[in-house]
Amino acid sequence: MNCNITIKAISRYADNDCTVKEFEKIESHLKECSRCRHILHNLQMLKSSLSSIAPVKESKGFDSAFFEKLEKAGQKEKVQFSLNEMLKNTLSGMQDIFAIRAPVLVRVAASLVVTLSLLFGGYNYYTYANLPLVEGASGKADIYNARSREWVTAAANMRLRENDIIKTSQNGIVNIISRNKYAARVKEGSFITIAKLNILGHNHSTEFDVKSGRLMVNTADAFKGSNMLLKTAACRAKVVGTAFIIDVDETSGGSTWLGVLEGKVKVSSKGRDVYVDAGQKTQTQLNSTPDMPTLLSDNEWKDVQELYQLGEKPQVAILISMQPDRVKELLRPAPLYILDSAPRAIPKDLDAIMHTINKAIGDNNVAAHRLSIENLERMVKVYPNARYNAQFMMFIGSYYYYLGDYEKAINSFEKVTRDYPANALSSLAQCAIGYIYDNDLKDKAKAAAAFEVLLKKYPDSIDAKVAREFLEK
Amino acid sequence: MFFWVLFSRRQDNTDIPPIYDDELVDRAKQGDKKALDVLYHKYKRPILNYIYRFVGNFHHAEELAQETFVRVYMNISRYEKTGKFSSWVYTIAGNLSRNFLRDRKHVNEVSIDESITEEGSVTLLDVIQDKGKLPDEQALAEEKEKLIQQGINQLKPKHKDVIILCDIQGLPYDEVAKILKCPSQTVGSRLSRARENLARILGFKDL
């Protein structure tokens, strides 16, 4: 167009959406310019064609089908309630999760939403920011304030100091956060004293005296260099960057049970040190050495997984529907969203990787896809973080599947089941392995083996249904 | 006679009682399912039409519209009244439609750049300008709608949004802005771009 009136201006003129000044300017221009008149004419024709489109009516069974769906969804919500609660806890602070505006990384599925959210907790940086903070408390929970020498009801935003005591009875729970070092949960029936607290400088040192009850601790990345010691009547447990639970039974004189979800805990008693790794537990009776670590039972695993609810730390979450055939959703194109409302705690590399993946989609470039997936794998290796590695490995697995590289897809899923057996996604990963063998590699024997493992390890998981159906065939 | 007229008018209005959305939403949030049902009946058709134009397939549009309202019903207690209720429903519908298309795009590998106006084919302009060839009004309208829908199918999602909401459904800029969560100036400029693209796809020579 050779005149200085833009199509946008004409478009607004046609909509009566311009100032009087603009209106007059366009009006006078139109008198002189036949080309713009022609554009306006076409625009008006297009507008009237669009506005004259008759609305469609819903088909006859629309309402009844809707109310049926609604009823089903209502029933499902009841089942999903506990899961949703868990997710809500995990995702607390991610309120704008639905207001995502970042580009789609790769692949889509309505019901599988991989949400990558990297948040540092939004706790307030008070003057005493480094003092452990009561993030929330429920049920019967009291705190002994050593400075004022009185018992008060535990409530959110209280700061804890040395010699304070946390006491919980029936249904009492106290959640504690120590800046970016750790999150802890004191469960019901506990009596725990903060015996030592040194929060000066970068590395903190904390000592809890656990007389009875249950304490769950989940340390963050920034815990590195800090110390945490838990003393019970029976033993001392030193935290080595980890997520774990310690249980002290007062009735048996302080016999201590300790289970570890991630990382490692050193348990010492009577001059003997025992290292308890992820997925292991140990028991220490009063006046005896700690038992050799053994694997957690299935029920204990379930207990230990409560640790995933603790704290507001950088996290990646995969939201997966709870349909029994969700494995198909996993292996269908899925998006990876990045939430950009909070400070990033993820390596910058991820940005670059996302960029290459986006570009590869645009160019339909398989080589670029391979490169970016390898970069993603490298990132997971270089910046290991137990909190989101499993999720990344799931994503990588389904990405390989998408590229048709079934063996590598299976490898990724195997890593999830091997390295994160307690992760809520492990049953899904195991199911995916079986599914790929059956569906894509046409290896019925291996599929059966994979599904049998699934049934054995996760008999109560929703994915077990797929396995049962396959094995019945 | 007078009473009969009054009565019959009331009958006509039972579908949508003269209550504002806000009031209905308040009632629904307090657990009044009937209030929600009223809102459902009020918005199901506009939402269905929006989705239908967006995804271009009636069957899928019905499913997505139902899914939209399932989410409305399930989440009404958590819904916070910051804008209009209808904007919220439209936003849900838009997100579901976009996800749906994204999902299908990769599965079916549909090429979106292919133009429908091949040499010798009928364009929208032919249809609207040359009324003599198609005397049957109904057939004309159907043909026109089909061509326009094919054109819309080829637009980018963000252009589809503004074309459908502003030009087909006739919503004001500021409401569309709330639905799309963007400033209303953006709606204006996006609409202009969308019209340009649609006109090009439909075979208009200038625009």
Side-chain angles (χ1 to χ4, degrees):
Chain A
M1 206 164 41
N2 290 328
C3 37
N4 60 355
I5 301 284
T6 59
I7 292 183
K8 188 182 163 192
I10 300 176
S11 175
R12 293 178 63 140
Y13 172 84
D15 289 348
N16 285 332
D17 182 54
C18 47
T19 62
V20 179
K21 218 174 166 184
E22 283 169 335
F23 189 86
E24 284 168 354
K25 187 181 163 196
I26 296 168
E27 191 102 302
S28 67
H29 175 78
L30 285 170
K31 279 179 193 151
E32 292 158 14
C33 179
S34 66
R35 192 181 158 79
C36 283
R37 273 203 304 278
H38 186 60
I39 289 172
L40 178 66
H41 173 72
N42 275 350
L43 203 57
Q44 279 166 339
M45 206 149 64
L46 178 69
K47 272 188 69 177
S48 78
S49 304
L50 289 168
S51 63
S52 68
I53 291 180
V56 291
K57 281 184 190 169
E58 66 281 358
S59 54
K60 262 188 179 171
F62 183 86
D63 287 343
S64 53
F66 163 68
F67 285 108
E68 215 168 274
K69 273 187 190 172
L70 187 62
E71 199 176 321
K72 267 189 201 157
Q75 287 162 356
K76 211 163 51 182
E77 196 180 48
K78 278 179 203 150
V79 180
Q80 283 190 13
F81 180 73
S82 55
L83 177 90
N84 287 341
E85 275 297 296
M86 197 186 92
L87 277 176
K88 234 188 335 194
N89 282 330
T90 321
L91 304 176
S92 60
M94 291 170 53
Q95 279 155 1
D96 6 15
I97 187 162
F98 296 113
I100 295 152
R101 68 172 177 83
V104 172
L105 172 60
V106 59
R107 320 189 303 143
V108 188
S111 45
L112 167 71
V113 181
V114 183
T115 309
L116 187 76
S117 138
L118 313 145
L119 300 178
F120 250 107
Y123 18 94
N124 300 315
Y125 288 71
Y126 297 143
T127 329
Y128 301 111
N130 285 343
L131 285 170
L133 171 78
V134 175
E135 184 213 21
S138 62
K140 181 96 184 84
D142 296 302
I143 287 175
Y144 177 74
N145 185 328
R147 295 207 305 183
S148 63
R149 297 181 183 188
E150 58 184 8
W151 285 94
V152 287
T153 308
N157 292 331
M158 287 170 78
R159 290 282 168 180
L160 299 172
R161 292 175 175 77
E162 205 168 272
N163 296 326
D164 283 1
I165 300 169
I166 303 155
K167 192 174 124 189
T168 56
S169 40
Q170 221 172 9
N171 301 326
I173 287 180
V174 180
N175 285 335
I176 300 165
I177 280 182
S178 172
R179 190 95 162 244
N180 45 23
K181 302 288 182 207
Y182 63 85
R185 175 172 290 176
V186 179
K187 300 278 282 183
E188 62 181 5
S190 297
F191 191 98
I192 294 170
T193 311
I194 303 174
K196 263 187 203 157
L197 192 62
N198 183 355
I199 48 166
L200 293 174
H202 186 68
N203 296 333
H204 297 180
S205 104
T206 315
E207 203 176 301
F208 287 113
D209 241 331
V210 190
K211 193 172 166 215
S212 68
R214 166 174 283 201
L215 175 70
M216 312 171 86
V217 181
N218 200 343
T219 59
D221 294 349
F223 183 81
K224 229 178 188 171
S226 297
N227 285 308
M228 185 186 284
L229 189 67
L230 298 138
K231 290 204 294 195
T232 75
C235 69
R236 293 146 61 91
K238 192 167 184 288
V239 175
V240 198
T242 188
F244 68 100
I245 293 179
I246 188 160
D247 241 341
V248 180
D249 185 4
E250 204 183 6
T251 52
S252 59
S255 153
T256 303
W257 180 93
L258 185 130
V260 179
L261 178 68
E262 291 169 3
K264 207 180 247 188
V265 178
K266 179 178 154 189
V267 180
S268 315
S269 170
K270 296 272 149 203
R272 174 146 170 223
D273 298 341
V274 167
Y275 284 92
V276 187
D277 282 316
Q280 294 184 334
K281 62 179 175 188
T282 183
Q283 178 95 26
T284 315
Q285 305 294 345
L286 192 63
N287 296 326
S288 58
T289 55
D291 290 351
M292 281 313 285
T294 49
L295 285 178
L296 290 166
S297 74
D298 285 355
N299 277 335
E300 285 163 342
W301 264 126
K302 276 176 202 152
D303 276 1
V304 175
Q305 280 190 47
E306 190 180 336
L307 282 162
Y308 279 124
Q309 300 174 17
L310 289 189
E312 292 180 295
K313 280 180 285 178
Q315 51 198 281
V316 178
I318 297 187
L319 305 184
I320 291 176
S321 77
M322 294 303 282
Q323 308 285 356
D325 58 351
R326 61 184 185 160
V327 64
K328 286 179 200 154
E329 292 167 4
L330 174 75
L331 297 175
R332 229 167 38 162
L336 183 62
Y337 290 114
I338 278 212
L339 192 80
D340 56 5
S341 66
R344 292 277 182 83
I346 195 80
K348 284 219 170 68
D349 303 30
L350 185 63
D351 272 339
I353 294 165
M354 283 187 67
H355 183 75
T356 50
I357 295 178
N358 275 339
K359 201 163 173 299
I361 289 170
D363 304 340
N364 206 3
N365 184 339
V366 175
H369 273 311
R370 292 205 167 279
L371 188 68
S372 43
I373 201 170
E374 276 162 24
N375 285 337
L376 197 59
E377 276 190 306
R378 195 173 310 130
M379 193 201 76
V380 173
K381 250 186 222 156
V382 178
Y383 303 98
N385 182 330
R387 187 157 299 281
Y388 53 73
N389 272 9
Q391 282 91 329
F392 268 132
M393 293 315 296
M394 292 297 279
F395 184 78
I396 289 168
S398 60
Y399 199 168
Y400 271 130
Y401 181 83
Y402 168 69
L403 293 177
D405 200 332
Y406 302 128
E407 275 190 27
K408 285 200 170 159
I410 289 174
N411 273 343
S412 297
F413 292 129
E414 277 174 346
K415 270 184 203 157
V416 176
T417 57
R418 191 186 58 221
D419 298 341
Y420 308 97
N423 194 293
L425 293 170
S426 288
S427 62
L428 180 58
Q430 187 64 40
C431 188
I433 295 168
Y435 187 85
I436 297 171
Y437 274 132
D438 174 27
N439 219 46
D440 304 288
L441 296 173
K442 309 284 176 211
D443 188 341
K444 298 282 174 202
K446 280 192 173 166
F451 282 132
E452 262 156 21
V453 172
L454 173 61
L455 281 187
K456 202 174 149 214
K457 276 167 100 177
Y458 314 99
D460 299 323
S461 66
I462 20 170
D463 307 292
K465 195 182 164 206
V466 177
R468 270 187 213 107
E469 270 169 14
F470 173 85
L471 293 173
E472 270 164 26
K473 264 196 288 176
Chain B
M1 182 63 181
F2 176 71
F3 283 106
W4 184 83
V5 170
L6 253 184
F7 184 66
S8 71
R9 279 181 66 91
R10 284 186 73 185
Q11 283 264 305
D12 286 342
N13 285 343
T14 44
D15 265 352
I16 305 161
I19 306 173
Y20 293 108
D21 285 5
D22 264 4
E23 203 181 323
L24 289 168
V25 170
D26 282 339
R27 281 203 221 160
K29 279 170 80 77
Q30 285 158 19
D32 182 352
K33 282 268 176 284
K34 275 190 186 148
L36 206 46
D37 290 350
V38 173
L39 288 165
Y40 161 73
H41 285 294
K42 182 172 172 186
Y43 287 110
K44 66 178 177 190
R45 207 167 284 170
I47 290 294
L48 172 65
N49 273 277
Y50 167 48
I51 298 175
Y52 171 49
R53 295 296 160 203
F54 201 105
V55 303
N57 174 303
F58 187 71
H59 171 70
H60 291 310
E62 285 205 318
E63 300 241 304
L64 290 168
Q66 285 160 350
E67 179 60 30
T68 301
F69 282 101
V70 166
R71 293 191 184 197
V72 168
Y73 274 70
M74 305 302 275
N75 293 295
I76 189 74
S77 57
R78 273 162 275 180
Y79 164 65
E80 277 170 34
K81 279 200 296 184
T82 45
K84 281 172 95 172
F85 168 78
S86 56
S87 307
W88 179 53
V89 184
Y90 268 107
T91 306
I92 296 174
N95 287 340
L96 284 175
S97 308
R98 256 183 290 279
N99 288 345
F100 172 80
L101 285 186
R102 224 184 269 158
D103 195 4
R104 274 169 58 100
K105 195 169 89 185
H106 292 287
V107 174
N108 298 336
E109 297 289 333
V110 180
S111 162
I112 53 161
D113 293 324
E114 217 170 288
S115 174
I116 52 165
T117 54
E118 292 154 30
E119 296 263 335
S121 68
V122 184
T123 69
L124 178 70
L125 216 55
D126 297 331
V127 176
I128 28 188
Q129 284 177 341
D130 202 355
K131 287 185 183 170
K133 275 187 190 167
L134 283 161
D136 183 352
E137 288 249 330
Q138 178 74 25
L140 176 81
E142 274 172 18
E143 182 71 8
K144 194 172 90 176
E145 191 201 307
K146 206 176 115 196
L147 283 168
I148 290 175
Q149 186 61 52
Q150 284 175 356
I152 293 172
N153 288 349
Q154 295 183 45
L155 290 176
K156 286 180 187 169
K158 65 177 183 180
H159 288 164
K160 278 184 188 178
D161 272 327
V162 284
I163 286 282
I164 299 167
L165 296 171
C166 298
D167 281 351
I168 298 182
Q169 303 216 329
L171 299 180
Y173 279 17
D174 56 348
E175 195 175 338
V176 175
K178 285 208 182 90
I179 293 168
L180 303 179
K181 300 197 190 317
C182 66
S184 64
Q185 287 94 322
T186 309
V187 174
S189 50
R190 213 178 267 178
L191 182 60
S192 150
R193 192 63 55 79
R195 284 171 178 163
E196 243 179 282
N197 287 346
L198 183 59
R200 185 176 40 78
I201 294 166
L202 293 175
F204 285 76
K205 287 282 178 288
D206 290 308
L207 198 77

